[in-house]
Amino acid sequence: MFIQSSLSDKSTFFQKIRSIDYIMLFCILILGIVSSFAMYSTDGGEFRYHSESHIIRFIIFFIMMIFISFINIKTWHTFGYLFYIIVLGLLIWASLFGITAQGSQRWINLYFLNLQPSELMKIAIIVCFAKYFHRIQLSNVNKLKNIIIPILILFIPIALVISQPDLGTSILIALSGIIVLWLAGINIKYFFYSSLTFIISAPFIISFLKPYQKLRILTFFDPDKDPLGAGYQIIQSKIAVGSGGLTGKGYLKGTQGYLEFLPEKHTDFIFTLFSEEFGFLGSIFLLIIYAILIFRILKIGSLSRSFFGKFFCYGFGSAIFIYISVNMSMVLGLLPIVGSPLPIMSYGGSSMLATMIGLGIVMSTKIYSRQLIS
Amino acid sequence: MIGSGEDSGFKKTNIINRRMFIFAAAKAVVFFGIVGRLFSLQISENKKYLTLSDKNRLREARLPPVRGEFVDYFGNRIAKNLTVYQLHVVPEQVEDFKTLMVRLKDILNLNDARLQDLIKKKNQQKPWETLVVSENLTWDEFSKINFYLHELSGARPVLTVGRNYPYKETYTHILGYVSEASVEDLVSNEIIKDRNVPGLRVGKTGLEKALENDLIGTNGVQRFEVNAYGKRINQIDFKEGNKGKTIKLTIDTEIQKFTQKLLDGRAGSISIMDIYTGEIIAMNSSPSFDPNLFLYGIEKSKWEEIKQNPLKPLLNKSVSGLYSPGSTIKPLVALSALENDVITPNLKVNCRGHKHPLELYGMKYHCWKKQGHGFMSLQNAIKQSCDTYFYEVARLLGVDRLNKTAKIFGLGDIVLGEYFNEKKGVVPSTKWKKEAIGQNWYLGETLINGIGQGYIQTTPLQLCLMTAQLANGGHKIYPKIIFDNKQDTIEQIKQKMKLAEKKKDEDSNLLSATEKLFNKDEKNYDALYKNKENVKFVLEAMFKSTNELYGTSFSSRIEDPKYQFAGKTGTAQVKRITEADRELDLKTNQIPYKERDHAWFVAFGPYKNPRYAVSILVEHGGSGSSTAAPIAQKLFKFVIDRHELREKIRKNNLTNINI
């Protein structure tokens, strides 16, 4: 607290380069490379559509992330609400004029990319909340107004995403927001009461779900009940992971993958494919890379001198953790199947775009860690 | 920064960090939860999931086993595997199934019913499963398909193995036939069930059925990797199956074909047996049918035609047809009487013709000869087949003593064992009648039993065995139809028979021989008589019957000693002859077919050094001397001409089987 500091960070470009978190950068690169190999495998050992576009996207978004890193954290703070409003606008746009695929209207055609605004909302909600709670005094946090407004901010996009319908993403948006609310210091009893309410009303909520969503939840509890129908994905995914063993079946030799027993192998089930080919050791390696990445993000958060930076890094790091654990739990049969991609690894431009923006902001927090935001 | 703000900021930082810490602790729990799950799936339960994964991706395709073949005594293939041309379609690979079928219909001239069948079948199976459009294409059709193949995408001309019987109807009753395995086949035979593949052909009758387990062979196995949709991706492993055993019969195809010719157009049976080895040289039941018809399912009209044929082509008359032996039993009756010292060959009986029949308890017993034979001795009575004489012999002998002798010589029991659906027939006794019919035996029944009528029922093969066992000097032999390459030579057999004869002298009781019947090996070549002279006497009588004037088969004799044979005719009534019938005295062709007598002839030859025994039956053929005996004349000539060829093979004890 007694450290001399200026209101603005005036470090030179060279200093900025030096203050980049290279460990984090290294982790991102490894994930990018690993995901490219995995994508090559899902294409059956050839450079085809998925592997090509995944690699191109990774390169573009990685460069974009570096670029974002050099944008002052203050800028993100300034345009925090605007970012949220733009994404919300896109969400509404998608709901009205979006592309429908697999019974869900959630994409906007941008010609070079089918943008899924709900993915961006996962980041936008954190940015928005980080800004909201940045200024609020601890003593005011539990005021009714400061509970109602964030809940509204959170509720609008969730409602939009649920109506697409996209249960998985809406849950992840909700979780991303709730983390920041938690960090902001909102009284524990609210969390307790609301989760209690949720549990009690769960059956009521379930009755509003689409039949296929209900089926997924029921299947989760007993996948063997209908092994060729709804339980097929979980069973095949478990078989793939389980048959991988300690060292895996070998790269490009995952039979579950290339014989097409795995559903959605380049998106939600990319970890299954990776785990089948590289086994327990490969999976642990991937987990460690993710753990280091998250640890670095949280570390950057703890070093940040602005609450905005702290909230964002803690929030984003925790959100990444949640995305990973939800995805992995899902493919390992610990959670019901809900659409949730594995950050960076999964095929999908919007998810990667959102993750890279988030990582860019984290990096910018690091570079401008001494930046104070009034 | 303002002081209070700093303080508040400090507090806020604290609470953020604390809450982050709580959350991080939760994260660690989740992290280790995931690691634990990975460990349990990939390390602890790895084996289970590996198995499941292999079950997912590997499919075994079992190929049809290659069936063993049958060869005759000379190694000619009589049931073989033939390349057949088939047309398969995998619906999955067809762009437009309907168009293809219409096109194929044109090319192959398929009828509408078949087309409907195929479409129905296609709808019942998975799209990647093979649909057999045509099981047996002619070469012309096959080449036509290949010619048009470029416009028949999805159609696959295939070469596969099918059963073929080159001698067609000649071997039907011995070999039987194969046809697609039915549910009953699968239920009754574990091996068929185990090796079954769609389209597997299994034996339905005859040796094809009896030797199924040897013939069937083992499946080849192809292991495939399949994708999630069941489509074959690549072959991983191929294990060739073993072909079934090749089975060599004792049958001579030329003789078998000749018997076929001899019986052409008639219902009947011819069996020829080697009197020393028991090998069946030919066994034919007429009429027959072409077993090739059954391979791909017989047409209903053809099946009906076979089934409805009054000459009963489906019945293997040689082993499953039961007939009264008629006079062919007389040598055995004579032997039994002599063996039991009931009569001497000098017994004289006066046969006085139809005007003075034998009367017993008010029933009349006629001889076949209207004017009577006059005074007969035993040998003459056999030679001229005098019924009156044998009424008397039978009366003196009694049914139970005849029963014993008949059983010893192989009547009333199955001959070949488990191969065919053999009938045992009936050799009556007082005890038998009591048990089977529940009545007491009447003496009158003994009399007609003595001329091979009444309850007594035999199969042609039983009579052949009986004749063979008389002809070899009265020794036990075991008929066989499957060639045994570890058998004794003829010299060894004759040696053993001599030994058995010596043993016989020490062991004079006929009954103990019966008891020993149970043990086959011990029993082989054992003497079946008490006194060798009795057998000789009977054989002489049979010689006279064929080769002396007034003998019943005199007109069918062969004088050349090389072919000279001795036999006994038989004319078995199929209905009781009434007085009215006797008055009418109709010729055979004037009587309705079903009421005509069965013609029998049993014989052995060559007489000087006998080797072959035959039994000939012509159903409703009239008298044995006019119908059956002439067949023997032709047959002995043919069989003995082939004797040397056969002996050569025997000496080498092996044949070159051209496979």
Side-chain angles (χ1 to χ4, degrees), chain A residues 154-362:
Chain A
L154 189 57
F155 185 75
I156 296 164
I158 289 173
L160 282 168
V161 175
I162 283 186
S163 69
Q164 284 177 342
D166 184 354
L167 186 67
T169 313
S170 61
I171 289 171
L172 292 180
I173 293 171
L175 288 173
S176 310
I178 289 166
I179 295 162
V180 188
L181 295 181
W182 164 262
L183 294 172
I186 286 177
N187 201 325
I188 292 175
K189 71 181 181 201
Y190 291 117
F191 291 96
F192 179 74
Y193 290 139
S194 54
S195 35
L196 203 67
T197 322
F198 179 76
I199 287 166
I200 292 164
S201 62
F204 184 69
I205 294 167
I206 285 172
S207 70
F208 275 103
L209 292 176
K210 301 268 169 193
Y212 81 93
Q213 292 169 329
K214 270 193 242 178
L215 198 63
R216 278 176 177 181
I217 290 168
L218 290 177
T219 307
F220 165 69
F221 291 109
D222 187 10
D224 295 321
K225 202 165 132 192
D226 182 13
L228 291 176
Y232 183 80
Q233 294 182 322
I234 296 179
I235 290 171
Q236 292 301 340
S237 178
K238 274 162 76 181
I239 289 174
V241 173
S243 62
L246 183 68
T247 53
K249 288 178 182 168
Y251 183 52
L252 300 180
K253 287 177 189 158
T255 56
Q256 289 282 102
Y258 85 81
L259 295 173
E260 297 175 46
F261 289 99
L262 278 186
E264 321 244 347
K265 58 183 172 184
H266 32 266
T267 57
D268 292 357
F269 287 85
I270 189 81
F271 178 69
T272 310
L273 178 119
F274 177 83
S275 193
E276 184 188 16
E277 292 187 347
F278 295 98
F280 182 68
L281 296 180
S283 309
I284 294 296
F285 168 77
L286 197 65
L287 276 174
I288 288 172
I289 297 293
Y290 273 122
I292 294 171
L293 180 69
I294 291 164
F295 183 76
R296 289 311 302 176
I297 294 170
L298 300 182
K299 180 83 185 161
I300 290 167
S302 74
L303 293 175
S304 168
R305 299 197 57 189
S306 65
F307 287 116
F308 177 78
K310 254 192 211 315
F311 276 129
F312 182 80
C313 290
Y314 285 172
F316 180 69
S318 304
I320 289 270
F321 177 83
I322 286 169
Y323 305 156
I324 292 165
S325 49
V326 166
N327 178 277
M328 288 191 179
S329 306
M330 180 181 90
V331 302
L332 297 177
L334 294 170
L335 281 179
I337 304 285
V338 287
S340 81
L342 189 61
I344 302 176
M345 285 289 285
S346 283
Y347 180 81
S350 309
S351 161
M352 184 158 343
L353 177 65
T355 311
M356 288 304 196
I357 290 173
L359 289 169
I361 299 172
V362 171

Side-chain angles (χ1 to χ4, degrees), chain A residues 133-134 136-137 182 185-186 236 238 241-242 245 249 256 258-261 275 280 307 314 318 321 332, chain B residues 8-9 12-13 16-17 19-20 23 27 37 39 41-42 46 49 53 56-57 225-229:
Chain A
F133 289 106
H134 172 71
I136 290 174
Q137 299 272 325
W182 164 262
I186 286 177
Q236 292 301 340
K238 274 162 76 181
V241 173
K249 288 178 182 168
Q256 289 282 102
Y258 85 81
L259 295 173
E260 297 175 46
F261 289 99
S275 193
F280 182 68
F307 287 116
Y314 285 172
S318 304
F321 177 83
L332 297 177
Chain B
S8 144
K12 193 171 170 183
T13 309
I16 293 172
N17 284 340
R19 292 217 166 174
M20 191 60 231
F23 195 66
K27 277 182 192 170
R37 178 67 167 181
F39 186 87
L41 286 178
Q42 298 195 297
N46 175 240
Y49 286 109
S53 155
N56 258 348
R57 73 186 179 99
E225 198 167 60
V226 297
N227 70 8
Y229 312 105

Side-chain angles (χ1 to χ4, degrees), chain B residues 6 136 425 502 516 575 590-591 611:
Chain B
E6 251 175 52
N136 193 13
K502 272 183 198 153
K516 273 201 276 175
K575 69 180 270 264
Q590 293 171 306
I591 304 169
R611 187 60 192 278

Side-chain angles (χ1 to χ4, degrees), chain B residues 176-187:
Chain B
Y177 57 86
V178 296
S179 190
E180 200 160 336
S182 67
V183 178
E184 295 98 84
D185 291 326
L186 298 180
V187 170

Side-chain angles (χ1 to χ4, degrees), chain B residues 159 317 372 402 523 555:
Chain B
L159 289 175
K317 299 179 177 76
L402 176 59
K523 194 68 196 122
S555 60

Side-chain angles (χ1 to χ4, degrees), chain B residues 160-180:
Chain B
T160 169
V161 183
R163 198 62 153 176
N164 177 256
Y165 303 99
Y167 297 99
K168 295 187 174 165
E169 55 271 11
T170 308
Y171 275 105
T172 308
H173 288 115
I174 294 171
L175 298 180
Y177 57 86
V178 296
S179 190
E180 200 160 336

